[in-house]
């Protein structure tokens, strides 16, 4: 099978021919139809984070495809089902996080395209209990970005407390942000979108943002404070200054939700202001299987639009350059059909 492989954090990915893997008893094998290119895959390929994957590995955690082999312990899904393989490749299923709906915090978890091989390949193995069924009629090219960009921002909006009567700042209208904006609108919030390219600002307007701020020339915090300040701010831009801007945009009692993960991600938190303003700063990591099922249902109901361009896996390295240069409409998706 064809696979895009990270061999070295400082070298481009290599397209290789690998044997088709065989599922263990608890696994399924998925013939991949589509896999999105999340910015996280770039961090993985570059070894950006304190906890690094071990090359060689196959990235990709927005893999969607058809089950073509099933281990004999698998009960929930069947041969021929279309499923998604998200970042949460598997968790222990027994710890207090797992049993209280916080499987995404399980200390024993494995991650697709990071600690185990992911979806940048014609086939991928996955744990039968952790794949998520893709509803009938949902286009795999849409399902792929929803599998990380969708579920992550859906969860971030949930934990942010956005609701009617609140004002939500969405910082970064990329793969994640263009969906975050839509979920914040679904939650009923007044929305403010921030980005640094004309195309993304135009996209934000098209998707119905109530206010749009260009961080290249405008003082984000001053503009947001002029509107009354943000009750919630969701940080999706791969930029430390954007975290600072988002924090400074909050009104008293506001919540900053950190999601983006730049290589050297830091936020200077003034303790006095944070205490006096009753500010909450929280991190949010992907979402659960249930969150993803809800994301798929919303999309099937026609409530969200996935903005994406399909690409050939052979072009993986130019695709990464395009994302880093901000030249992508929102999400690139490898079409492996
Ligand atoms: P992306 O490259 O598609 O989008 C980033 C967007 O931010 C782009 O539109 C870019 O123009 C914009 N931007 C850059 N600088 C900005 C600034 N100063 N102000 C406002 N906007 C700015 O990336 P993505 O795939 O959406 O991922 C975003 C980040 O989220 C990455 O760091 C990724 O690793 C992380 N991520 C986190 C989770 C999680 O669970 N916490 C899940 C997926 C991705
Ligand atoms: Zn991702
Ligand atoms: Zn667990």
């Amino acid at each position: 099978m064809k696979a895009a492989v990270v061999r070295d954090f400082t070298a481009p990915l290599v397209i290789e021919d690998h044997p088709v893997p065989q599922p263990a008893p608890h696994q399924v094998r998925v013939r991949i139809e589509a896999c999105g290119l999340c910015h996280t895959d770039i961090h993985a390929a570059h070894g950006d984070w304190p906890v690094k994957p071990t090359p060689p590995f196959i990235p990709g955690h927005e893999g969607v495809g058809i089950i073509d082999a099933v281990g004999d312990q698998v009960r929930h899904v069947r041969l021929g089902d279309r499923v998604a393989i998200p970042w949460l490749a598997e968790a222990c299923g027994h710890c207090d996080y797992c049993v209280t709906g916080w499987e995404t915090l399980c200390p024993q978890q494995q991650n697709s395209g990071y600690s185990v091989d992911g979806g940048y390949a014609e086939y991928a193995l996955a744990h039968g209990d952790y794949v998520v069924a893709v509803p009938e009629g949902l286009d795999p090219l849409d399902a792929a970005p929803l599998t990380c960009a969708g579920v992550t921002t859906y969860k971030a909006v949930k934990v942010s407390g956005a609701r009617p009567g609140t004002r939500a700042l969405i910082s970064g209208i990329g793969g994640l942000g263009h969906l975050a904006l839509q979920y914040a609108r679904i939650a009923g919030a007044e929305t403010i979108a921030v980005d640094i390219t004309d195309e993304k600002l135009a996209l934000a307007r098209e998707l119905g943002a109530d206010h749009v701020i260009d961080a290249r020339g405008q003082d984000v915090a001053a503009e947001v404070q002029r509107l009354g300040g943000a009750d919630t701010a969701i940080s999706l831009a791969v930029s430390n200054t954007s975290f600072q801007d988002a924090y400074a945009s909050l009104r008293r009692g506001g919540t900053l939700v950190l999601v983006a993960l730049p290589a050297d991600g830091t936020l200077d938190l003034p303790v006095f202001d944070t205490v006096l303003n009753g500010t909450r700063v929280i991190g949010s990591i992907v979402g659960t299987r249930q969150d993803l099922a809800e994301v798929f249902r919303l999309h099937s109901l026609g409530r969200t639009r996935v903005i994406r361009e399909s690409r050939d896996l052979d072009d993986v390295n130019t695709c990464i350059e395009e994302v880093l240069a901000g030249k992508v409409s929102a999400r690139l998706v490898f079409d492996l059909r």
Side-chain angles (χ1 to χ4, degrees):
M1 66 168 191
K2 183 192 285 193
V5 181
V6 175
R7 290 250 153 221
D8 188 316
F9 294 138
T10 60
L13 276 72
V14 187
I15 301 293
E16 296 180 0
D17 187 27
H18 282 205
V20 174
Q22 295 305 317
H26 65 284
Q27 287 181 318
V28 294
R29 184 175 66 208
V30 177
R31 183 169 48 73
I32 299 290
E33 300 174 291
C35 187
L37 194 178
C38 180
H39 208 118
T40 289
D41 301 332
I42 305 178
H43 297 308
H46 292 171
D48 275 348
W49 297 338
V51 179
K52 298 182 198 311
T54 310
F57 68 95
I58 302 171
H61 56 275
E62 290 187 347
V64 169
I66 306 291
I67 295 180
D68 88 323
V70 187
D72 58 18
Q73 290 170 9
V74 174
R75 297 282 174 271
H76 290 305
V77 284
R78 295 202 193 125
L79 215 59
D81 286 356
R82 176 171 287 128
V83 293
I85 310 175
W87 171 255
L88 190 74
E90 60 179 274
C92 81
H94 303 289
C95 70
D96 57 342
Y97 298 112
C98 280
V99 299
T100 56
W102 283 100
E103 64 206 32
T104 50
L105 300 182
C106 175
Q108 306 295 329
Q109 70 185 273
Q110 299 290 332
N111 300 117
S112 306
Y114 209 85
S115 64
V116 297
D117 282 339
Y120 285 19
E122 287 172 323
Y123 293 88
L125 297 179
H127 195 302
D129 289 342
Y130 287 85
V131 292
V132 175
V134 177
E136 190 77 36
L138 206 159
D139 187 335
L141 292 172
D142 282 351
L146 294 174
T147 298
C148 177
V151 74
T152 298
T153 54
Y154 179 70
K155 186 67 158 196
V157 167
K158 267 190 182 178
V159 301
S160 77
R163 59 179 182 278
T166 65
R167 199 175 290 116
L169 171 74
I170 311 295
S171 170
I173 306 298
L176 267 63
H178 89 284
L179 285 158
L181 173 59
Q182 297 178 63
Y183 296 127
R185 283 169 49 79
I186 290 169
E190 176 184 344
T191 52
I192 309 167
V194 184
D195 207 288
I196 55 165
T197 77
D198 295 340
E199 295 75 15
K200 297 287 172 49
L201 297 168
L203 174 63
R205 279 189 204 94
E206 193 190 322
L207 292 172
D210 296 299
H211 314 275
V212 169
I213 299 175
D214 183 346
R216 285 170 303 190
Q218 289 174 284
D219 180 336
V220 175
E223 293 294 331
V224 178
Q225 292 301 348
R226 221 190 314 280
L227 294 167
D231 298 282
T232 65
I234 304 181
S235 278
L236 306 162
V238 193
S239 140
N240 283 337
T241 52
S242 74
F243 303 157
Q244 228 58 63
D245 287 347
Y247 176 86
S249 300
L250 293 173
R251 63 198 296 263
R252 290 192 162 202
T255 301
L256 172 61
V257 184
L258 298 174
V259 176
L261 291 157
D264 55 349
T266 45
L267 169 66
D268 274 331
L269 213 59
V271 170
F272 184 82
D273 294 349
T274 305
V275 172
L276 274 278
N277 293 335
T279 305
R280 298 198 311 150
V281 178
I282 58 180
S284 189
I285 177 76
V286 293
T288 62
R289 290 165 286 183
Q290 176 61 22
D291 293 318
L292 182 52
E294 292 171 19
V295 159
F296 284 154
R297 212 159 75 219
L298 278 173
H299 195 72
S300 294
L301 289 167
R303 307 279 174 87
T304 48
R305 267 174 72 195
V306 176
I307 308 296
R308 39 87 177 163
E309 299 167 41
S310 52
R311 293 296 158 86
D312 199 307
L313 187 61
D314 291 326
D315 299 328
V316 60
N317 292 305
T318 41
C319 290
I320 287 175
E321 279 164 30
E322 281 178 69
V323 173
L324 289 174
K327 288 184 180 149
V328 171
S329 52
R331 200 50 138 199
L332 297 183
V333 181
F334 300 115
D335 188 345
L336 288 130
R337 292 172 300 180

